[in-house]
Amino acid sequence: MHHFFNKITKFLIFLLIIFAIIIFSYTSLMINIDTTHALENTTQDTTFFDLHYEGKHFNFSASEFKIFSKVFMINEKISKYKRNGSKSDKIQILNRAINLGLDLDIAFNYIFPGLDEKINKIEKWVNTKSTDASVKINKYSNNPITINKEIVGITLDKDKLFKMMYIAYTKTNYVDLEIPIIKTMPKITKEKLLLQTNKLSEFKTNISTSSNARKHNIKLALNSINGKILQPNETFSFNEIVGNRTENRGYKIAKVITNGEFVEGIGGGVCQVSTTVYNAMLLAGLTPIISFHHSQRVSYVPIGLDAMVNYGTADLKFKNTSQYPVYIFTTFSNNEIGVKFYGYKIDNISYKLISNIEKTISSDNEKIEYDKEKKYTDKIIYDDEFFYLKKHIDGYVVNSYRLTIKDGVVINKELLRHDTYKPQTAIKIYGVEKRPKISGNVDNSVDNLKKLCIY
């Protein structure tokens, strides 16, 4: 019995010792927590950060970043270094993070909770998307092409920033840093686009004597072409771009050349547009594919350099064989029209167009007709009177060439077309009425008879 009592007594003493140890440990921990908490409040990190870029400053201090959770605090107390401790503690945490292979941004956000939010705001302000230079077109301006300058891409270099922050933070309480960036250069610069948008050529023709209807048609066709961009290896088709010349599309009746004669037709004047485009294109150095001459020479360009079009049968086509886009612009006034080409201009290269009449085809034949329907009584009445409805026009065999000139010297002579303009026979119209007899002396002299012939 006495032996049993001794065992119970020893067991109770053991329990009391364990309990005492637990109470002592808990009390010591609480005291340590309170003491450390007080210490943390008296050893705050006073480091000031000044990060700046392009004159804009982003400022914050280490004291802004506080850890309030007591759970965190208790965990921190049993660790070697404290996030809310002194600056030396924080540096030790950073060094430990580096030794463990952790990224500095993670380590900084550990000692400065919420730092990533501040860095993200800086990043949004600094970062700029890389943007290529671009062509802006104002097709109704005298200078129809302007270039929007490229924008260099800017990205905040976070890795470098945190490395710089670490080095500065371990050395000073005033971290003054120029924010590091990574530049992304755009592929297309203004300098490149300026080289690709030079004026290649301009060609003008006169319309001062054209009727209002003809001028209307010309302007309508020019508007369809104005601002056209011909990409590399793209083919220009006049008929595809301008479209069918019909009344429904706004075209009016004006003079056209049909079988060598001027007659009324829908879309008269459009051939002057195609001819102006043709000459501007040749002077720009583009590659002609197909073009047609009129049945007779026209007045607004040298013979052999005209380009007749007729929707469905005769087209004007050429190709941009360069590596760069070609821009086509048109101009219109009551006196003249113009076509301009812009693109990549090869230094010291220019072009000249010439046409040579190789042969003249004459014809003295006249076609005689009588005004039986009396359509021309304003000009003739009697059978001894006549006028030329159509004068004789010689025909021609013509070669047209494009000369390529470098530094003032012709380096190439290219045959463009070999055309034959057929002669046009004169048409002589006589009146049909018998002239009444006049009593008395009649002057039948040759000079008087010539007065009866109206040209």
Side-chain angles (χ1 to χ4, degrees):
M1 185 71 177
H2 178 76
H3 179 69
F4 177 76
F5 180 78
N6 287 336
K7 285 186 176 181
I8 294 297
T9 302
K10 288 180 180 180
F11 179 74
L12 291 175
I13 292 171
F14 176 76
L15 290 177
L16 287 172
I17 292 171
I18 295 299
F19 182 75
I21 291 172
I22 293 173
I23 294 298
F24 178 80
S25 298
Y26 179 77
T27 304
S28 298
L29 180 60
M30 290 299 101
I31 292 171
N32 187 42
I33 290 173
D34 292 339
T35 303
T36 306
H37 183 59
L39 178 64
E40 287 177 354
N41 289 334
T42 59
T43 58
Q44 284 188 346
D45 187 353
T46 59
T47 306
F48 184 79
F49 294 85
D50 182 9
L51 309 181
H52 45 86
Y53 177 73
E54 295 287 329
K56 184 173 177 63
H57 291 258
F58 301 89
N59 301 323
F60 51 88
S61 62
S63 60
E64 295 178 31
F65 306 94
K66 297 185 182 298
I67 303 169
F68 298 103
S69 170
K70 290 186 177 180
V71 174
F72 278 127
M73 243 170 149
I74 294 170
N75 289 335
E76 305 269 340
K77 306 319 172 231
I78 61 175
S79 66
K80 188 173 181 181
Y81 307 110
K82 299 171 285 298
R83 293 192 293 170
N84 250 1
S86 66
K87 181 172 181 176
S88 62
D89 289 333
K90 294 176 181 177
I91 292 174
Q92 293 294 341
I93 291 175
L94 291 174
N95 289 332
R96 177 181 280 186
I98 293 173
N99 292 333
L100 291 173
L102 296 177
D103 292 335
L104 276 175
D105 61 333
I106 296 175
F108 266 108
N109 275 283
Y110 181 70
I111 62 173
F112 297 138
L115 177 62
D116 55 345
E117 294 179 6
K118 293 183 180 295
I119 299 300
N120 288 341
K121 288 181 181 179
I122 298 174
E123 188 176 33
K124 286 181 180 179
W125 188 86
V126 171
N127 286 7
T128 304
K129 184 180 179 182
S130 173
T131 305
D132 288 336
S134 60
V135 175
K136 182 180 179 182
I137 292 177
N138 183 357
K139 60 185 181 180
Y140 299 109
S141 170
N142 289 331
N143 297 307
I145 293 181
T146 54
I147 307 298
N148 294 321
K149 186 175 174 59
E150 73 278 4
I151 299 174
V152 177
I154 303 295
T155 304
L156 189 151
D157 190 341
K158 281 188 176 182
D159 289 341
K160 190 173 182 180
L161 174 61
F162 281 112
K163 288 176 183 177
M164 292 168 64
M165 287 174 63
Y166 169 72
I167 294 171
Y169 181 65
T170 58
K171 293 180 179 180
T172 179
N173 281 341
Y174 186 80
V175 177
D176 182 10
L177 298 176
E178 178 73 17
I179 295 171
I181 60 168
I182 300 171
K183 290 186 177 182
T184 303
M185 299 305 296
K187 295 180 181 179
I188 302 174
T189 64
K190 182 176 181 178
E191 184 180 6
K192 286 183 179 180
L193 286 185
L194 286 173
L195 293 174
Q196 298 173 21
T197 54
N198 282 298
K199 187 176 178 181
L200 302 176
S201 67
E202 182 174 11
F203 193 81
K204 296 179 179 181
T205 56
N206 190 289
I207 61 167
S208 58
T209 59
S210 296
S211 67
N212 289 335
R214 190 174 187 273
K215 288 180 180 179
H216 170 86
N217 294 337
I218 287 173
K219 188 174 184 180
L220 205 58
L222 286 171
N223 287 342
S224 298
I225 299 167
N226 195 17
K228 169 67 180 173
I229 302 175
L230 198 62
Q231 298 296 340
N233 295 315
E234 184 180 358
T235 296
F236 178 102
S237 166
F238 186 92
N239 283 338
E240 286 181 8
I241 293 171
V242 175
N244 198 0
R245 279 72 81 181
T246 64
E247 286 184 291
N248 289 338
R249 299 187 67 243
Y251 286 92
K252 298 181 178 181
I253 295 175
K255 292 289 185 181
V256 297
I257 301 176
T258 302
N259 295 324
E261 297 184 18
F262 284 96
V263 297
E264 298 290 330
I266 295 292
V270 171
C271 285
Q272 184 162 349
V273 176
S274 58
T275 294
T276 309
V277 171
Y278 176 67
N279 281 262
M281 174 272 297
L282 292 173
L283 292 171
L286 275 70
T287 303
I289 295 176
I290 190 169
S291 63
F292 297 87
H293 66 89
H294 290 82
S295 54
Q296 65 171 270
R297 69 188 304 175
V298 294
S299 60
Y300 41 83
V301 289
I303 190 169
L305 293 174
D306 55 324
M308 182 271 294
V309 290
N310 184 44
Y311 193 83
T313 60
D315 200 0
L316 167 64
K317 290 184 178 182
F318 52 88
K319 189 173 184 178
N320 174 18
T321 54
S322 75
Q323 301 176 28
Y324 309 99
V326 169
Y327 306 85
I328 307 172
F329 301 101
T330 64
T331 58
F332 174 89
S333 72
N334 278 326
N335 293 320
E336 67 180 10
I337 62 172
V339 176
K340 296 182 281 188
F341 279 68
Y342 288 75
Y344 182 82
K345 187 173 180 62
I346 303 174
D347 290 341
N348 305 320
I349 294 291
S350 62
Y351 301 93
K352 183 179 179 180
L353 306 179
I354 59 174
S355 60
N356 292 336
I357 296 177
E358 305 294 329
K359 180 181 178 181
T360 300
I361 306 172
S362 298
S363 174
D364 294 330
N365 294 333
E366 289 184 345
K367 183 179 180 181
I368 296 176
E369 295 181 357
Y370 297 91
D371 187 20
K372 294 179 181 179
E373 297 179 359
K374 299 186 177 181
K375 293 192 301 183
Y376 308 108
T377 53
D378 59 325
K379 293 182 174 62
I380 53 169
I381 297 176
Y382 304 112
D383 57 3
D384 57 358
E385 296 175 329
F386 66 88
F387 81 101
Y388 283 97
L389 178 65
K390 179 182 175 183
K391 291 183 178 180
H392 166 77
I393 300 175
D394 286 339
Y396 301 95
V397 176
V398 181
N399 287 339
S400 55
Y401 300 90
R402 175 167 62 182
L403 306 182
T404 303
I405 303 168
K406 183 176 182 180
D407 297 323
V409 178
V410 176
I411 61 173
N412 187 48
K413 184 177 182 180
E414 172 190 2
L415 176 65
L416 298 170
R417 287 196 325 232
H418 176 79
D419 297 328
T420 299
Y421 295 80
K422 294 181 180 180
Q424 303 297 317
T425 302
I427 300 177
K428 193 175 186 180
I429 308 293
Y430 278 90
V432 293
E433 297 288 332
K434 292 290 183 181
R435 183 180 295 277
K437 293 182 179 180
I438 301 174
S439 58
N441 294 328
V442 178
D443 185 357
N444 289 323
S445 65
V446 173
D447 290 339
N448 187 54
L449 289 175
K450 283 184 177 180
K451 294 178 184 178
L452 301 177
C453 301
I454 303 172
Y455 290 88

